[in-house]
Amino acid sequence: MPVYRRKRILMRKLKVLISCPAWLVLLFVCSALSAAPAYALIRIDINSPGLTKYPIAIPPFKALGESKEELKFSKELSQLLSDDLAYTGYFQILGTDSTLQDLSLTGVTEKDIQFRAWSIIGAEVLVTGGISVSGDEISLQLRLFDVLRGERLLGKKYSGPSATRERMIRRFGNEIIKALTGFEGALGTRIAFVQGEGKVKDIFAVDFDGRNIERVTSYNSLTLTPRWSPKGDQLAFTSYKNGNPEVFVKRMDTNTLKLISSGAGLNIAPAWSPDGRTLAVTLSKKGRENIFLMDLNGRVVSTITDRWGINVSTTWCPDGKKVAFVSNRAGSPQIYMKDLGNGDTRLMTVEGKRNLDPSWSPRGDRIAFTRSLNGDFHVFSMDCNGGDVQRLTYAGGLNMSPTWSPDGTMIAFSSDRAGDLAIHVMNANGSNQRRLTFMKGTQESPSWSPVHD
């Protein structure tokens, strides 16, 4: 609970105790204040089922000069920050037109802010910013304030080419999220997905909030299961571009393509190890589909599964010591976990006829997956012992292929709830579900990038 709320409760209790002996009142005050957390502690519990959105005001930033670019960027960047924070589902963005103070006409430090004016509209935190532009360079001065206490929580300065201004503002947005939740933010991350029209499927990527759609592949064939590398600079995927399913890795900065696996039969479903040095890949060998560990030169370095049936859809524990995967070794597709140290393998899902698409949270505490239920498919999550199973989607039809944001607070998935399959996003507890892609055709099999600067 925030310190100022604790103090309000404390004052109400003091009124009740006013008739008590002085020593009792003193004992109550000392114990209550000692129990209050330091102000820098987490103030938004994003895991709370009853999360109330945090009221934040982000007025247009102040143009520190007189150029048209500064005026343009002041509104553009404050709006981008508002949109991004609203999209996380944690913040209520307050309209600033009715406030008694126009910060675009004043300074941006503590002495310039009339905190009472901002508290009147319900703001608990306030963002101020100053922008200066010189040629092709931009400089940003950004601050976050606690309105009720009149104190600065954050102060950052950024400078660089104007073309990097979105990256700067999203970096500050992540600082806000970390300051108020304790977790790294996911602003500026990308989601890769499969876009399909007719018999052709290719990979696209989009910002976490639906902006800046980019085509990644164009092979006029089936290209499937994109997976980001741990550094976010490469994508592994399966493509039929040469006629058979093969595994490729593409560098996003140079667009160079490398063939990893092209043996006879299946070469599918690559999954990066946490260190980025190897890929878990399903290969056809001896009439069975098993999971093998391959280096980036295409050499098999170890065997992960060696069982009858189809073994596929690997996901790694963040510490690299375990993997979860799907196998139909017992008759129907279920999720199993293997300890790579001692080789122990155990069944994780004991309910549901089909359990698919496991995705391990970056925090290492939960696994999201798809389960068939009454003819539909829904996204669930469970702890790493297979317990505490939580259903996250309820819309009928297909809800599949969950992937976690790098901070573990959101999940992207594909759903046909509005017609064709599209990418949707929700908070990790299933709240705040919203559609991300609105393209023609189908969008499926998302993969959320790590934070990549």
Side-chain angles (χ1 to χ4, degrees):
M1 181 182 297
V3 168
Y4 51 81
R5 290 181 182 170
R6 286 182 179 270
K7 287 185 176 179
R8 287 174 182 169
I9 296 172
L10 173 60
M11 293 305 297
R12 288 198 294 268
K13 291 183 177 180
L14 281 176
K15 291 179 182 179
V16 177
L17 292 170
I18 195 68
S19 61
C20 296
W23 65 268
L24 182 57
V25 174
L26 180 60
L27 177 62
F28 172 81
V29 172
C30 291
S31 62
L33 288 179
S34 64
Y39 183 69
L41 293 181
I42 298 171
R43 306 201 305 173
I44 303 177
D45 182 5
I46 60 179
N47 294 315
S48 171
L51 172 68
T52 300
K53 294 184 179 182
Y54 205 76
I56 183 172
I58 309 175
F61 300 148
K62 178 179 176 58
L64 300 179
E66 299 181 354
S67 70
K68 294 181 179 179
E69 288 83 3
E70 289 173 351
L71 294 173
K72 173 187 174 184
F73 294 156
S74 68
K75 296 180 180 179
E76 172 191 303
L77 294 181
S78 61
Q79 187 62 53
L80 176 60
L81 182 61
S82 296
D83 292 345
D84 280 357
L85 291 180
Y87 203 81
T88 66
Y90 309 140
F91 297 92
Q92 175 191 0
I93 310 300
L94 300 177
T96 59
D97 293 340
S98 60
T99 186
L100 301 177
Q101 184 182 29
D102 185 352
L103 288 178
S104 67
L105 302 177
T106 66
V108 293
T109 61
E110 291 93 328
K111 64 181 179 64
D112 303 307
I113 300 172
Q114 300 171 17
F115 289 104
R116 176 60 179 167
W118 294 97
S119 66
I120 288 175
I121 68 169
E124 295 193 18
V125 288
L126 167 70
V127 175
T128 69
I131 296 179
S132 61
V133 176
S134 177
D136 191 41
E137 296 289 311
I138 186 172
S139 294
L140 304 179
Q141 301 176 29
L142 301 169
R143 295 175 175 85
L144 175 70
F145 294 95
D146 182 309
V147 171
L148 299 184
R149 292 172 60 91
E151 294 181 356
R152 184 172 66 179
L153 303 177
L154 282 175
K156 297 289 181 177
K157 294 182 179 180
Y158 305 97
S159 61
S162 295
T164 63
R165 61 188 182 276
E166 287 189 7
R167 187 183 305 172
M168 296 179 192
I169 205 69
R170 284 173 162 163
R171 185 182 299 174
F172 186 67
N174 285 331
E175 293 280 0
I176 292 174
I177 293 171
K178 185 175 182 180
L180 298 182
T181 71
F183 296 109
E184 300 289 343
L187 308 190
T189 55
R190 305 272 283 167
I191 297 175
F193 60 92
V194 174
Q195 158 72 12
E197 289 190 74
K199 297 181 180 180
V200 175
K201 292 188 175 184
D202 270 302
I203 296 172
F204 285 69
V206 65
D207 286 356
F208 88 107
D209 58 355
R211 299 171 184 256
N212 301 319
I213 294 177
E214 170 193 10
R215 187 170 192 142
V216 177
T217 68
S218 184
Y219 301 143
N220 195 35
S221 65
L222 291 178
T223 302
L224 310 168
T225 60
R227 294 295 181 265
W228 290 100
S229 66
K231 293 183 178 180
D233 57 345
Q234 300 179 85
L235 268 178
F237 53 85
T238 300
S239 181
Y240 288 71
K241 65 189 294 290
N242 297 324
N244 295 315
E246 299 170 326
V247 172
F248 296 86
V249 168
K250 182 174 183 177
R251 288 198 61 89
M252 300 301 287
D253 53 352
T254 63
N255 286 324
T256 55
L257 188 66
K258 185 174 183 178
L259 177 62
I260 301 297
S261 181
S262 60
L266 296 180
N267 305 264
I268 60 173
W272 294 89
S273 60
D275 62 10
R277 297 177 180 177
T278 54
L279 289 163
V281 179
T282 294
L283 306 176
S284 296
K285 291 182 179 294
K286 300 178 181 178
R288 299 181 294 183
E289 285 72 41
N290 276 297
I291 302 169
F292 297 85
L293 194 62
M294 306 186 74
D295 64 24
L296 299 186
N297 292 316
R299 183 174 65 92
V300 173
V301 296
S302 65
T303 301
I304 295 179
T305 69
D306 187 13
R307 292 290 299 269
W308 172 91
I310 300 174
N311 301 274
V312 71
S313 299
T314 308
T315 183
W316 292 78
C317 178
D319 63 11
K321 296 179 179 180
K322 297 178 182 179
V323 294
F325 59 93
V326 174
S327 177
N328 67 345
R329 62 186 61 181
S332 64
Q334 300 293 335
I335 297 173
Y336 294 78
M337 181 185 295
K338 180 172 183 177
D339 187 315
L340 298 179
N342 59 28
D344 288 346
T345 301
R346 63 187 182 87
L347 177 66
M348 295 286 289
T349 50
V350 295
E351 296 182 1
K353 293 182 179 180
R354 287 180 286 181
N355 290 283
L356 312 164
D357 309 326
S359 177
W360 215 308
S361 167
R363 298 184 191 177
D365 58 341
R366 297 194 68 79
I367 296 173
F369 63 98
T370 302
R371 170 174 289 173
S372 62
L373 188 65
N374 300 323
D376 296 326
F377 283 87
H378 288 284
V379 177
F380 288 73
S381 73
M382 60 183 170
D383 65 28
C384 296
N385 294 315
D388 189 26
V389 177
Q390 300 176 12
R391 181 176 172 180
L392 304 180
T393 62
Y394 288 86
L398 301 178
N399 301 273
M400 306 180 68
S401 305
T403 178
W404 296 84
S405 63
D407 59 354
T409 65
M410 292 185 282
I411 295 174
F413 61 102
S414 57
S415 176
D416 65 355
R417 62 187 62 184
D420 288 334
L421 281 169
I423 306 303
H424 289 67
V425 176
M426 61 181 164
N427 289 63
N429 61 6
S431 64
N432 198 29
Q433 298 189 18
R434 60 274 195 202
R435 185 172 175 174
L436 182 73
T437 60
F438 295 86
M439 303 167 66
K440 292 182 179 180
T442 60
Q443 298 94 54
E444 56 190 307
S445 190
S447 175
W448 207 315
S449 79
V451 175
H452 179 50
D453 191 16

